[in-house]
Amino acid sequence: MKYVQFAENRPFDIIMLGRVAIDFNPVDYYKPLSESTTFKKYLGGSPANIAVGMARLGRKVGFLAKVSKDQFGDFVINYFKKEGIDTSHISYCTNGEKLGLTFTEILSETESSILMYRNEAADLQLSVDEIEEDYMKQAKAILISGTALAQSPSREAALKAMSLAKKHNTVIIFDIDYRPYNWKNADEIAIYYSMVAMNSDIILGSREEFDLTQKLIAPGNNDKDTAAFWHKHGAKIVIIKHGKEGSTAYTNDGNQYGIKPFPVKLLKSFGGGDGYASAFLYGLLEGWDMIDCLEFGSASAALLVASHACSEDMPSAAKIQEFIKECKEKYGDMIARV
Ligand SMILES: Nc1ncnc2c1ncn2[C@@H]1O[C@H](COP(=O)(O)OP(=O)(O)O)[C@@H](O)[C@H]1O
Ligand SMILES: O=C(O)C[C@@H](O)[C@H](O)C(=O)COP(=O)(O)O
C-alpha cells in the first residue's frame, strides 16, 4: 500500500530546510559536560544529519540553509559536498551570524543532554528571497525541520517553501524537531507548528512534540486521537516516536504499524531520530511496505544510538540490512511488530 505518491523524474529525491550546525561530542564521556575536556567535532543539526543519512543511502539530496561566513561554515559546506549533497542553495550569512553549536553531554548509557549555543544562529537568517521556485520544483519531497519556524526570517522562508511544495505536488514532510532554544513561548510554537502540520503529508515527532503542536487546537495526548486529528487535516502518515519504547506509524486508511526498537548496546540516547527519519524516508522512496520502512528506520536509529556520532556514523543500506539480519538470527522474532 502506497500512502504518498512521489512525483517521478525530478532531480532531487528530497530538499531539506533547516539548520546545519556542528556537534561537539565528548570523547571522555559518561561524565558531566562540565568535566569533559576532549570533544570530537561532527557536522550536526537534525536536518543536516538526516541529509547525510539519505545521501549515504544513495538518495539525491538538496538543502536550503544559511551558514556562518567562517571556518565552521566552510567545514559544513565541504562536508556536504563530500557526501554528494547539493550545496547550490546554501549561502553564507553577511552580518556575522554564527553556526549553531551543540555540546552534548553523555552522562551515562541512558542519560544524555545537549547544550545548544544558538545566539544569532546563522540558520535562522534563511530568507524568502533564497527560496527559489525553480529549485523547489526539482524535488520529489521537502522536509521542513520545526526549529526553522522559531524565528523570522527563517519562519517565512519555511512557509514559502511549504506553499511552493503544495503548488508543485511535492510531498511535504514535517519533522517537528522541537528544541526550546530560540522560541519565545508555547503559543508561538503551537501556531507555527500546527500551520505546517496542517499542510504536511508526513509528520514525525515524539509525544511531547505533538502535544506542543496541537496545544491550541486539539488537546489530549492519546496517540490514536492525535493521528486521527492530523489525518483529518490531510496527513497521510503520522509517526509518533517513543524513544526506547519504539514507534508507531498511523496511516490515513485507519491502519497502524508499530515497531519495537532493535536491541543494541546504547552509547548515547540522542541521534536515533535522525537515523530513523533518513532510513524510513529512504524506504518510502523505494516504495516499500510501511512496516518495512519502519523496520529500516528503527534499525538505523538503533545503530545511531550505539555510535559516538550522528552524521559521521550514518549507515549504508547494506549495513542496516546486515544489522537487521543479525538481529533476526540472534533474537528470532525479537523485533515484535505490534
Ligand atoms: N535505547 C534505544 N535502543 C534502541 N533504539 C532506540 C533507543 N532509543 C531510541 N531508539 C530508536 O530511535 C528512535 C527515535 O528515538 P526518539 O528518542 O524517539 O527520537 P529523537 O531521537 O528524535 O528524540 C526510536 O523510535 C527508536 O527506534
Ligand atoms: O539537532 C541538533 O542541532 C543536534 C543534533 O546534531 C544532535 O546530534 C542531536 O541532538 C540529534 O537529535 P535526535 O536525532 O533528534 O535525537
PDB file of all heavy atoms in Angstrom, residues 75-104:
ATOM      1  N   PHE A  75      33.429  24.354   6.741  1.00  0.00           N
ATOM      2  CA  PHE A  75      33.515  22.933   7.119  1.00  0.00           C
ATOM      3  C   PHE A  75      32.247  22.181   6.729  1.00  0.00           C
ATOM      4  O   PHE A  75      32.293  21.113   6.098  1.00  0.00           O
ATOM      5  CB  PHE A  75      33.772  22.810   8.635  1.00  0.00           C
ATOM      6  CG  PHE A  75      33.479  21.446   9.205  1.00  0.00           C
ATOM      7  CD1 PHE A  75      34.278  20.354   8.882  1.00  0.00           C
ATOM      8  CD2 PHE A  75      32.385  21.242  10.038  1.00  0.00           C
ATOM      9  CE1 PHE A  75      33.999  19.086   9.393  1.00  0.00           C
ATOM     10  CE2 PHE A  75      32.101  19.978  10.559  1.00  0.00           C
ATOM     11  CZ  PHE A  75      32.909  18.893  10.233  1.00  0.00           C
ATOM     12  N   VAL A  76      31.101  22.766   7.090  1.00  0.00           N
ATOM     13  CA  VAL A  76      29.847  22.041   6.829  1.00  0.00           C
ATOM     14  C   VAL A  76      29.541  21.973   5.331  1.00  0.00           C
ATOM     15  O   VAL A  76      29.063  20.940   4.828  1.00  0.00           O
ATOM     16  CB  VAL A  76      28.663  22.623   7.642  1.00  0.00           C
ATOM     17  CG1 VAL A  76      28.900  22.454   9.142  1.00  0.00           C
ATOM     18  CG2 VAL A  76      28.382  24.070   7.313  1.00  0.00           C
ATOM     19  N   ILE A  77      29.841  23.043   4.598  1.00  0.00           N
ATOM     20  CA  ILE A  77      29.594  23.013   3.144  1.00  0.00           C
ATOM     21  C   ILE A  77      30.502  21.982   2.475  1.00  0.00           C
ATOM     22  O   ILE A  77      30.061  21.158   1.669  1.00  0.00           O
ATOM     23  CB  ILE A  77      29.785  24.416   2.534  1.00  0.00           C
ATOM     24  CG1 ILE A  77      28.594  25.317   2.909  1.00  0.00           C
ATOM     25  CG2 ILE A  77      29.915  24.327   1.015  1.00  0.00           C
ATOM     26  CD1 ILE A  77      28.648  26.716   2.337  1.00  0.00           C
ATOM     27  N   ASN A  78      31.765  21.966   2.873  1.00  0.00           N
ATOM     28  CA  ASN A  78      32.694  20.977   2.289  1.00  0.00           C
ATOM     29  C   ASN A  78      32.294  19.545   2.662  1.00  0.00           C
ATOM     30  O   ASN A  78      32.427  18.618   1.868  1.00  0.00           O
ATOM     31  CB  ASN A  78      34.126  21.281   2.717  1.00  0.00           C
ATOM     32  CG  ASN A  78      34.635  22.589   2.100  1.00  0.00           C
ATOM     33  OD1 ASN A  78      34.188  22.981   1.018  1.00  0.00           O
ATOM     34  ND2 ASN A  78      35.518  23.277   2.815  1.00  0.00           N
ATOM     35  N   TYR A  79      31.781  19.385   3.875  1.00  0.00           N
ATOM     36  CA  TYR A  79      31.346  18.049   4.302  1.00  0.00           C
ATOM     37  C   TYR A  79      30.174  17.593   3.433  1.00  0.00           C
ATOM     38  O   TYR A  79      30.137  16.453   2.940  1.00  0.00           O
ATOM     39  CB  TYR A  79      30.929  18.082   5.778  1.00  0.00           C
ATOM     40  CG  TYR A  79      30.724  16.711   6.386  1.00  0.00           C
ATOM     41  CD1 TYR A  79      31.753  16.078   7.073  1.00  0.00           C
ATOM     42  CD2 TYR A  79      29.509  16.040   6.247  1.00  0.00           C
ATOM     43  CE1 TYR A  79      31.576  14.817   7.620  1.00  0.00           C
ATOM     44  CE2 TYR A  79      29.328  14.778   6.790  1.00  0.00           C
ATOM     45  CZ  TYR A  79      30.351  14.185   7.470  1.00  0.00           C
ATOM     46  OH  TYR A  79      30.170  12.918   8.008  1.00  0.00           O
ATOM     47  N   PHE A  80      29.232  18.497   3.214  1.00  0.00           N
ATOM     48  CA  PHE A  80      28.077  18.160   2.357  1.00  0.00           C
ATOM     49  C   PHE A  80      28.563  17.780   0.958  1.00  0.00           C
ATOM     50  O   PHE A  80      28.094  16.809   0.355  1.00  0.00           O
ATOM     51  CB  PHE A  80      27.131  19.351   2.281  1.00  0.00           C
ATOM     52  CG  PHE A  80      26.036  19.371   3.319  1.00  0.00           C
ATOM     53  CD1 PHE A  80      25.966  18.425   4.335  1.00  0.00           C
ATOM     54  CD2 PHE A  80      25.064  20.356   3.287  1.00  0.00           C
ATOM     55  CE1 PHE A  80      24.951  18.454   5.284  1.00  0.00           C
ATOM     56  CE2 PHE A  80      24.038  20.405   4.231  1.00  0.00           C
ATOM     57  CZ  PHE A  80      23.997  19.440   5.232  1.00  0.00           C
ATOM     58  N   LYS A  81      29.495  18.553   0.423  1.00  0.00           N
ATOM     59  CA  LYS A  81      29.992  18.274  -0.940  1.00  0.00           C
ATOM     60  C   LYS A  81      30.606  16.885  -1.000  1.00  0.00           C
ATOM     61  O   LYS A  81      30.365  16.104  -1.920  1.00  0.00           O
ATOM     62  CB  LYS A  81      31.017  19.341  -1.367  1.00  0.00           C
ATOM     63  CG  LYS A  81      30.375  20.673  -1.743  1.00  0.00           C
ATOM     64  CD  LYS A  81      31.413  21.713  -2.111  1.00  0.00           C
ATOM     65  CE  LYS A  81      30.742  23.034  -2.542  1.00  0.00           C
ATOM     66  NZ  LYS A  81      31.727  24.119  -2.725  1.00  0.00           N
ATOM     67  N   LYS A  82      31.351  16.558   0.042  1.00  0.00           N
ATOM     68  CA  LYS A  82      31.995  15.228   0.118  1.00  0.00           C
ATOM     69  C   LYS A  82      30.947  14.119   0.155  1.00  0.00           C
ATOM     70  O   LYS A  82      31.147  13.037  -0.400  1.00  0.00           O
ATOM     71  CB  LYS A  82      32.867  15.176   1.378  1.00  0.00           C
ATOM     72  CG  LYS A  82      33.660  13.925   1.563  1.00  0.00           C
ATOM     73  CD  LYS A  82      34.712  14.074   2.651  1.00  0.00           C
ATOM     74  CE  LYS A  82      34.099  14.295   4.016  1.00  0.00           C
ATOM     75  NZ  LYS A  82      33.418  13.061   4.573  1.00  0.00           N
ATOM     76  N   GLU A  83      29.802  14.418   0.759  1.00  0.00           N
ATOM     77  CA  GLU A  83      28.745  13.405   0.861  1.00  0.00           C
ATOM     78  C   GLU A  83      27.830  13.392  -0.362  1.00  0.00           C
ATOM     79  O   GLU A  83      26.898  12.601  -0.426  1.00  0.00           O
ATOM     80  CB  GLU A  83      27.909  13.660   2.131  1.00  0.00           C
ATOM     81  CG  GLU A  83      28.675  13.496   3.426  1.00  0.00           C
ATOM     82  CD  GLU A  83      28.998  12.034   3.761  1.00  0.00           C
ATOM     83  OE1 GLU A  83      28.291  11.145   3.245  1.00  0.00           O
ATOM     84  OE2 GLU A  83      29.947  11.791   4.520  1.00  0.00           O
ATOM     85  N   GLY A  84      28.072  14.330  -1.299  1.00  0.00           N
ATOM     86  CA  GLY A  84      27.270  14.362  -2.520  1.00  0.00           C
ATOM     87  C   GLY A  84      25.948  15.100  -2.363  1.00  0.00           C
ATOM     88  O   GLY A  84      25.011  14.918  -3.133  1.00  0.00           O
ATOM     89  N   ILE A  85      25.872  15.927  -1.319  1.00  0.00           N
ATOM     90  CA  ILE A  85      24.650  16.712  -1.086  1.00  0.00           C
ATOM     91  C   ILE A  85      24.787  18.047  -1.834  1.00  0.00           C
ATOM     92  O   ILE A  85      25.834  18.695  -1.764  1.00  0.00           O
ATOM     93  CB  ILE A  85      24.454  16.953   0.426  1.00  0.00           C
ATOM     94  CG1 ILE A  85      24.196  15.615   1.137  1.00  0.00           C
ATOM     95  CG2 ILE A  85      23.312  17.934   0.706  1.00  0.00           C
ATOM     96  CD1 ILE A  85      24.336  15.670   2.643  1.00  0.00           C
ATOM     97  N   ASP A  86      23.749  18.446  -2.549  1.00  0.00           N
ATOM     98  CA  ASP A  86      23.797  19.687  -3.312  1.00  0.00           C
ATOM     99  C   ASP A  86      23.865  20.902  -2.377  1.00  0.00           C
ATOM    100  O   ASP A  86      23.048  21.028  -1.450  1.00  0.00           O
ATOM    101  CB  ASP A  86      22.533  19.790  -4.186  1.00  0.00           C
ATOM    102  CG  ASP A  86      22.517  21.102  -4.968  1.00  0.00           C
ATOM    103  OD1 ASP A  86      23.360  21.284  -5.860  1.00  0.00           O
ATOM    104  OD2 ASP A  86      21.691  21.976  -4.622  1.00  0.00           O
ATOM    105  N   THR A  87      24.840  21.788  -2.622  1.00  0.00           N
ATOM    106  CA  THR A  87      25.011  22.966  -1.742  1.00  0.00           C
ATOM    107  C   THR A  87      24.744  24.266  -2.499  1.00  0.00           C
ATOM    108  O   THR A  87      25.044  25.351  -1.993  1.00  0.00           O
ATOM    109  CB  THR A  87      26.453  23.012  -1.175  1.00  0.00           C
ATOM    110  OG1 THR A  87      27.378  23.071  -2.290  1.00  0.00           O
ATOM    111  CG2 THR A  87      26.752  21.772  -0.340  1.00  0.00           C
ATOM    112  N   SER A  88      24.137  24.128  -3.700  1.00  0.00           N
ATOM    113  CA  SER A  88      23.938  25.333  -4.535  1.00  0.00           C
ATOM    114  C   SER A  88      23.018  26.357  -3.867  1.00  0.00           C
ATOM    115  O   SER A  88      23.054  27.531  -4.190  1.00  0.00           O
ATOM    116  CB  SER A  88      23.346  24.933  -5.892  1.00  0.00           C
ATOM    117  OG  SER A  88      22.050  24.347  -5.719  1.00  0.00           O
ATOM    118  N   HIS A  89      22.181  25.920  -2.949  1.00  0.00           N
ATOM    119  CA  HIS A  89      21.248  26.836  -2.279  1.00  0.00           C
ATOM    120  C   HIS A  89      21.534  26.951  -0.794  1.00  0.00           C
ATOM    121  O   HIS A  89      20.633  27.191   0.022  1.00  0.00           O
ATOM    122  CB  HIS A  89      19.806  26.402  -2.567  1.00  0.00           C
ATOM    123  CG  HIS A  89      19.381  26.775  -3.962  1.00  0.00           C
ATOM    124  ND1 HIS A  89      19.940  26.175  -5.080  1.00  0.00           N
ATOM    125  CD2 HIS A  89      18.520  27.706  -4.430  1.00  0.00           C
ATOM    126  CE1 HIS A  89      19.415  26.714  -6.166  1.00  0.00           C
ATOM    127  NE2 HIS A  89      18.559  27.647  -5.798  1.00  0.00           N
ATOM    128  N   ILE A  90      22.808  26.790  -0.445  1.00  0.00           N
ATOM    129  CA  ILE A  90      23.262  27.095   0.910  1.00  0.00           C
ATOM    130  C   ILE A  90      24.143  28.345   0.775  1.00  0.00           C
ATOM    131  O   ILE A  90      25.085  28.372  -0.013  1.00  0.00           O
ATOM    132  CB  ILE A  90      24.084  25.939   1.519  1.00  0.00           C
ATOM    133  CG1 ILE A  90      23.223  24.676   1.628  1.00  0.00           C
ATOM    134  CG2 ILE A  90      24.616  26.357   2.901  1.00  0.00           C
ATOM    135  CD1 ILE A  90      23.955  23.473   2.211  1.00  0.00           C
ATOM    136  N   SER A  91      23.776  29.406   1.493  1.00  0.00           N
ATOM    137  CA  SER A  91      24.547  30.648   1.343  1.00  0.00           C
ATOM    138  C   SER A  91      25.097  31.105   2.695  1.00  0.00           C
ATOM    139  O   SER A  91      24.655  30.650   3.749  1.00  0.00           O
ATOM    140  CB  SER A  91      23.646  31.740   0.753  1.00  0.00           C
ATOM    141  OG  SER A  91      22.470  31.892   1.533  1.00  0.00           O
ATOM    142  N   TYR A  92      26.083  31.988   2.623  1.00  0.00           N
ATOM    143  CA  TYR A  92      26.731  32.479   3.840  1.00  0.00           C
ATOM    144  C   TYR A  92      25.981  33.687   4.398  1.00  0.00           C
ATOM    145  O   TYR A  92      25.467  34.513   3.659  1.00  0.00           O
ATOM    146  CB  TYR A  92      28.165  32.927   3.510  1.00  0.00           C
ATOM    147  CG  TYR A  92      29.132  31.807   3.227  1.00  0.00           C
ATOM    148  CD1 TYR A  92      29.574  31.561   1.934  1.00  0.00           C
ATOM    149  CD2 TYR A  92      29.621  30.990   4.250  1.00  0.00           C
ATOM    150  CE1 TYR A  92      30.477  30.536   1.659  1.00  0.00           C
ATOM    151  CE2 TYR A  92      30.521  29.968   3.986  1.00  0.00           C
ATOM    152  CZ  TYR A  92      30.949  29.748   2.693  1.00  0.00           C
ATOM    153  OH  TYR A  92      31.828  28.732   2.414  1.00  0.00           O
ATOM    154  N   CYS A  93      25.967  33.797   5.715  1.00  0.00           N
ATOM    155  CA  CYS A  93      25.421  34.995   6.358  1.00  0.00           C
ATOM    156  C   CYS A  93      26.376  36.155   6.109  1.00  0.00           C
ATOM    157  O   CYS A  93      27.579  35.957   5.903  1.00  0.00           O
ATOM    158  CB  CYS A  93      25.270  34.759   7.858  1.00  0.00           C
ATOM    159  SG  CYS A  93      23.914  33.657   8.262  1.00  0.00           S
ATOM    160  N   THR A  94      25.852  37.360   6.168  1.00  0.00           N
ATOM    161  CA  THR A  94      26.690  38.530   5.873  1.00  0.00           C
ATOM    162  C   THR A  94      26.804  39.496   7.063  1.00  0.00           C
ATOM    163  O   THR A  94      27.488  40.496   6.979  1.00  0.00           O
ATOM    164  CB  THR A  94      26.074  39.316   4.688  1.00  0.00           C
ATOM    165  OG1 THR A  94      24.690  39.584   5.005  1.00  0.00           O
ATOM    166  CG2 THR A  94      26.144  38.498   3.409  1.00  0.00           C
ATOM    167  N   ASN A  95      26.130  39.177   8.144  1.00  0.00           N
ATOM    168  CA  ASN A  95      26.174  40.099   9.303  1.00  0.00           C
ATOM    169  C   ASN A  95      26.776  39.453  10.550  1.00  0.00           C
ATOM    170  O   ASN A  95      26.400  39.779  11.672  1.00  0.00           O
ATOM    171  CB  ASN A  95      24.753  40.609   9.621  1.00  0.00           C
ATOM    172  CG  ASN A  95      24.163  41.389   8.443  1.00  0.00           C
ATOM    173  OD1 ASN A  95      24.832  42.250   7.871  1.00  0.00           O
ATOM    174  ND2 ASN A  95      22.953  41.025   8.041  1.00  0.00           N
ATOM    175  N   GLY A  96      27.641  38.486  10.323  1.00  0.00           N
ATOM    176  CA  GLY A  96      28.366  37.904  11.452  1.00  0.00           C
ATOM    177  C   GLY A  96      27.614  36.852  12.233  1.00  0.00           C
ATOM    178  O   GLY A  96      28.058  36.417  13.302  1.00  0.00           O
ATOM    179  N   GLU A  97      26.451  36.415  11.708  1.00  0.00           N
ATOM    180  CA  GLU A  97      25.730  35.356  12.441  1.00  0.00           C
ATOM    181  C   GLU A  97      26.584  34.082  12.518  1.00  0.00           C
ATOM    182  O   GLU A  97      27.406  33.827  11.634  1.00  0.00           O
ATOM    183  CB  GLU A  97      24.388  35.051  11.752  1.00  0.00           C
ATOM    184  CG  GLU A  97      23.390  36.201  11.826  1.00  0.00           C
ATOM    185  CD  GLU A  97      23.567  37.215  10.697  1.00  0.00           C
ATOM    186  OE1 GLU A  97      24.540  37.071   9.927  1.00  0.00           O
ATOM    187  OE2 GLU A  97      22.753  38.149  10.605  1.00  0.00           O
ATOM    188  N   LYS A  98      26.376  33.326  13.551  1.00  0.00           N
ATOM    189  CA  LYS A  98      27.251  32.153  13.805  1.00  0.00           C
ATOM    190  C   LYS A  98      26.523  30.828  13.577  1.00  0.00           C
ATOM    191  O   LYS A  98      25.324  30.718  13.837  1.00  0.00           O
ATOM    192  CB  LYS A  98      27.739  32.185  15.262  1.00  0.00           C
ATOM    193  CG  LYS A  98      28.502  33.446  15.641  1.00  0.00           C
ATOM    194  CD  LYS A  98      29.771  33.582  14.826  1.00  0.00           C
ATOM    195  CE  LYS A  98      30.550  34.852  15.170  1.00  0.00           C
ATOM    196  NZ  LYS A  98      31.279  35.372  13.976  1.00  0.00           N
ATOM    197  N   LEU A  99      27.265  29.841  13.159  1.00  0.00           N
ATOM    198  CA  LEU A  99      26.713  28.491  13.015  1.00  0.00           C
ATOM    199  C   LEU A  99      26.307  27.981  14.403  1.00  0.00           C
ATOM    200  O   LEU A  99      27.006  28.232  15.398  1.00  0.00           O
ATOM    201  CB  LEU A  99      27.784  27.568  12.431  1.00  0.00           C
ATOM    202  CG  LEU A  99      27.275  26.378  11.630  1.00  0.00           C
ATOM    203  CD1 LEU A  99      26.752  26.856  10.277  1.00  0.00           C
ATOM    204  CD2 LEU A  99      28.369  25.347  11.434  1.00  0.00           C
ATOM    205  N   GLY A 100      25.165  27.324  14.479  1.00  0.00           N
ATOM    206  CA  GLY A 100      24.748  26.747  15.762  1.00  0.00           C
ATOM    207  C   GLY A 100      25.738  25.682  16.215  1.00  0.00           C
ATOM    208  O   GLY A 100      26.221  24.888  15.405  1.00  0.00           O
ATOM    209  N   LEU A 101      26.047  25.696  17.500  1.00  0.00           N
ATOM    210  CA  LEU A 101      26.969  24.697  18.056  1.00  0.00           C
ATOM    211  C   LEU A 101      26.229  23.903  19.126  1.00  0.00           C
ATOM    212  O   LEU A 101      25.483  24.483  19.927  1.00  0.00           O
ATOM    213  CB  LEU A 101      28.193  25.375  18.675  1.00  0.00           C
ATOM    214  CG  LEU A 101      29.005  26.308  17.764  1.00  0.00           C
ATOM    215  CD1 LEU A 101      30.177  26.905  18.540  1.00  0.00           C
ATOM    216  CD2 LEU A 101      29.499  25.553  16.525  1.00  0.00           C
ATOM    217  N   THR A 102      26.416  22.595  19.112  1.00  0.00           N
ATOM    218  CA  THR A 102      25.763  21.745  20.109  1.00  0.00           C
ATOM    219  C   THR A 102      26.827  20.969  20.877  1.00  0.00           C
ATOM    220  O   THR A 102      27.584  20.199  20.294  1.00  0.00           O
ATOM    221  CB  THR A 102      24.810  20.748  19.423  1.00  0.00           C
ATOM    222  OG1 THR A 102      23.824  21.471  18.697  1.00  0.00           O
ATOM    223  CG2 THR A 102      24.128  19.860  20.457  1.00  0.00           C
ATOM    224  N   PHE A 103      26.904  21.245  22.168  1.00  0.00           N
ATOM    225  CA  PHE A 103      27.826  20.498  23.029  1.00  0.00           C
ATOM    226  C   PHE A 103      27.001  19.417  23.726  1.00  0.00           C
ATOM    227  O   PHE A 103      26.024  19.725  24.415  1.00  0.00           O
ATOM    228  CB  PHE A 103      28.477  21.431  24.055  1.00  0.00           C
ATOM    229  CG  PHE A 103      29.311  22.513  23.405  1.00  0.00           C
ATOM    230  CD1 PHE A 103      28.721  23.711  23.018  1.00  0.00           C
ATOM    231  CD2 PHE A 103      30.643  22.302  23.141  1.00  0.00           C
ATOM    232  CE1 PHE A 103      29.465  24.701  22.385  1.00  0.00           C
ATOM    233  CE2 PHE A 103      31.403  23.297  22.525  1.00  0.00           C
ATOM    234  CZ  PHE A 103      30.816  24.491  22.134  1.00  0.00           C
ATOM    235  N   THR A 104      27.330  18.175  23.485  1.00  0.00           N
ATOM    236  CA  THR A 104      26.475  17.115  24.040  1.00  0.00           C
ATOM    237  C   THR A 104      27.090  16.580  25.327  1.00  0.00           C
ATOM    238  O   THR A 104      28.311  16.570  25.510  1.00  0.00           O
ATOM    239  CB  THR A 104      26.305  15.959  23.029  1.00  0.00           C
ATOM    240  OG1 THR A 104      27.566  15.335  22.834  1.00  0.00           O
ATOM    241  CG2 THR A 104      25.765  16.480  21.725  1.00  0.00           C
TER     242      THR A 104
END
